[in-house]
Amino acid sequence: MPDQVQKLIEKLKSSDRDVVKASIIEELGNTGDHRALKPLVESLNDGDALVRWNAIRAVAGFGADSVALLFRTIESGDRFARRNVVQVLGEVGGEDVVDRLIRMLMFDESDHDVMIEIIRAMHKLRPERAVEPLITVLKMSDWEMRWRAINTLGHIGDPRALEPLLAVMEDEDPDIRWAAAIAVENIKNRALKRDAEPDSQPRAADTLPPASLPVERKKPARDLAVSASQKNGWTVVKVEGEMISTNSASFRSYMDGVVSVSSGPVEIDLSDCDFVDSLALGHFNAIRKKLKSKNRKMKISGMNPNLKQMFKATKLDELFAIE
């Protein structure tokens, strides 16, 4: 076998046919011989997509044994090689890989393609300690990096991402807003499931119903109705029915009007509200921030047990004043 490995390595270096190189790389990966690692890593920089893909799979097959060499390649390789190496590291995984990729995510935002691959690796590996660095990506100007970070935060499902994602739901880009709404819904559903079944394993986020899908309810949905009144110096906005993606914009418009024509604190009364989806939560947060900028208070009252459970499970009860 050692002689055969050396012959394959020499053939890989001498061949100028992509299909031949791709086949040799696959064979070298199957040998498991560590002498093949260096030429396999070098092949990550090949100009042919099939050669690179076979090299990625072959190097990943060496697992943790390939990590040190891969990170040396990141430090010395060009942009093209760095991107492919990060893709391999995402396949390899492991604590050391996660920690080093997170450091790159925090301090190496200049290379778009490498950053995208790091975020994709975080999506695959789902480390909770990546949440804070991913939140910082939400503030960057690169659209794809922000979009992938939003999806990854929803996939990880950590409630720490809720407030930043709710803020992103006010973004001017409709695709960013929608991605954030789905991410919030995934985190909310995951938290509720953990709260209800603490000993069970949470489902993957991509199996949870996104904000665009109907939610099963025990009684027919009621139309949204909103009204305002004054009580003990507070402007009380009463919400009746269900607040969902198709009608929550009208609630936001109504609240913008209430904030502009009133003064003092605002209470949102949900005692007759059956359901609130993630888009509506985004509106709640925007209203809270708007009132806070004017040094005005806001509280939410009258929530039914299901809404209270959702706010508690997602830790939104730490963000909003609730009675």
Side-chain angles (χ1 to χ4, degrees):
M1 180 63 71
D3 291 340
Q4 180 64 17
V5 169
Q6 190 59 44
K7 288 179 181 178
L8 287 170
I9 292 173
E10 292 173 0
K11 181 66 174 175
L12 177 63
K13 293 179 178 179
S14 62
S15 178
D16 58 359
R17 297 181 185 275
D18 294 332
V19 66
V20 173
K21 290 191 291 184
S23 177
I24 293 171
I25 286 169
E26 187 173 0
E27 289 188 54
L28 283 171
N30 290 335
T31 67
D33 191 303
H34 282 67
R35 290 179 301 161
L37 255 179
K38 185 177 179 180
L40 287 174
V41 170
E42 291 172 351
S43 297
L44 294 171
N45 199 29
D46 194 272
D48 181 74
L50 179 60
V51 171
R52 294 195 305 271
W53 175 241
N54 279 10
I56 287 170
R57 292 191 300 173
V59 175
F62 284 86
D65 293 338
S66 65
V67 170
L69 179 57
L70 288 169
F71 274 108
R72 284 200 298 273
T73 304
I74 284 181
E75 294 168 0
S76 60
D78 62 18
R79 171 173 164 270
F80 196 56
R82 282 159 54 87
R83 183 193 68 184
N84 294 329
V85 167
V86 171
Q87 188 174 352
V88 177
L89 289 167
E91 296 292 327
V92 173
E95 295 296 314
D96 182 52
V97 167
V98 168
D99 287 340
R100 295 178 74 169
L101 289 180
I102 287 175
R103 287 199 293 273
M104 290 178 64
L105 185 65
M106 295 172 65
F107 302 114
D108 188 17
E109 63 182 80
S110 59
D111 192 323
H112 168 89
D113 291 342
V114 171
M115 288 286 285
I116 291 297
E117 288 301 329
I118 293 174
I119 296 171
R120 290 178 64 183
M122 295 301 102
H123 190 278
K124 181 179 180 64
L125 301 172
R126 291 174 61 181
E128 291 188 354
R129 58 187 181 279
V131 169
E132 295 296 339
L134 286 167
I135 288 172
T136 66
V137 176
L138 301 182
K139 302 175 183 178
M140 296 180 181
S141 59
D142 188 289
W143 183 92
E144 185 180 1
M145 285 165 53
R146 295 180 70 214
W147 186 84
R148 289 189 180 277
I150 290 167
N151 281 277
T152 300
L153 286 168
H155 188 58
I156 293 173
D158 192 304
R160 287 176 294 167
L162 274 175
E163 184 175 1
L165 287 171
L166 289 171
V168 172
M169 287 168 64
E170 296 297 307
D171 194 89
E172 62 183 16
D173 188 292
D175 293 324
I176 292 291
R177 292 198 302 270
W178 191 245
I182 292 175
V184 167
E185 193 77 2
N186 285 338
I187 294 172
K188 181 183 73 173
N189 288 339
R190 185 184 295 278
L192 287 171
K193 184 172 178 63
R194 279 199 299 259
D195 193 56
E197 303 174 33
D199 296 328
S200 67
Q201 292 294 322
R203 292 181 294 173
D206 55 4
T207 67
L208 296 172
S212 57
L213 297 182
V215 178
E216 183 178 350
R217 304 178 181 86
K218 294 182 179 180
K219 56 184 179 181
R222 293 190 295 152
D223 291 338
L224 180 68
V226 187
S227 59
S229 61
Q230 292 290 323
K231 182 179 179 181
N232 298 328
W234 286 71
T235 299
V236 180
V237 178
K238 186 173 181 60
V239 180
E240 302 176 64
E242 295 194 345
M243 196 180 304
I244 55 178
S245 58
T246 55
N247 62 27
S248 60
S250 62
F251 166 78
R252 173 63 186 276
S253 297
Y254 186 92
M255 287 302 304
D256 284 341
V258 168
V259 172
S260 64
V261 301
S262 66
S263 60
V266 174
E267 174 184 349
I268 299 178
D269 179 3
L270 300 182
S271 58
D272 205 18
C273 179
D274 304 320
F275 180 78
V276 175
D277 77 357
S278 56
L279 286 173
L281 289 177
H283 293 319
F284 282 178
N285 190 50
I287 295 161
R288 178 189 67 84
K289 291 168 65 177
K290 189 172 185 178
L291 287 167
K292 185 177 180 180
S293 70
K294 299 176 181 292
N295 294 317
R296 297 170 62 184
K297 295 180 180 179
M298 170 183 156
K299 66 180 179 181
I300 302 175
S301 65
M303 287 192 292
N304 63 41
N306 288 335
L307 285 177
K308 280 187 177 180
Q309 181 191 12
M310 184 269 287
F311 270 73
K312 182 178 179 180
T314 57
K315 301 188 185 301
L316 286 173
D317 58 344
E318 299 175 5
L319 180 61
F320 296 96
I322 296 173
E323 288 189 353

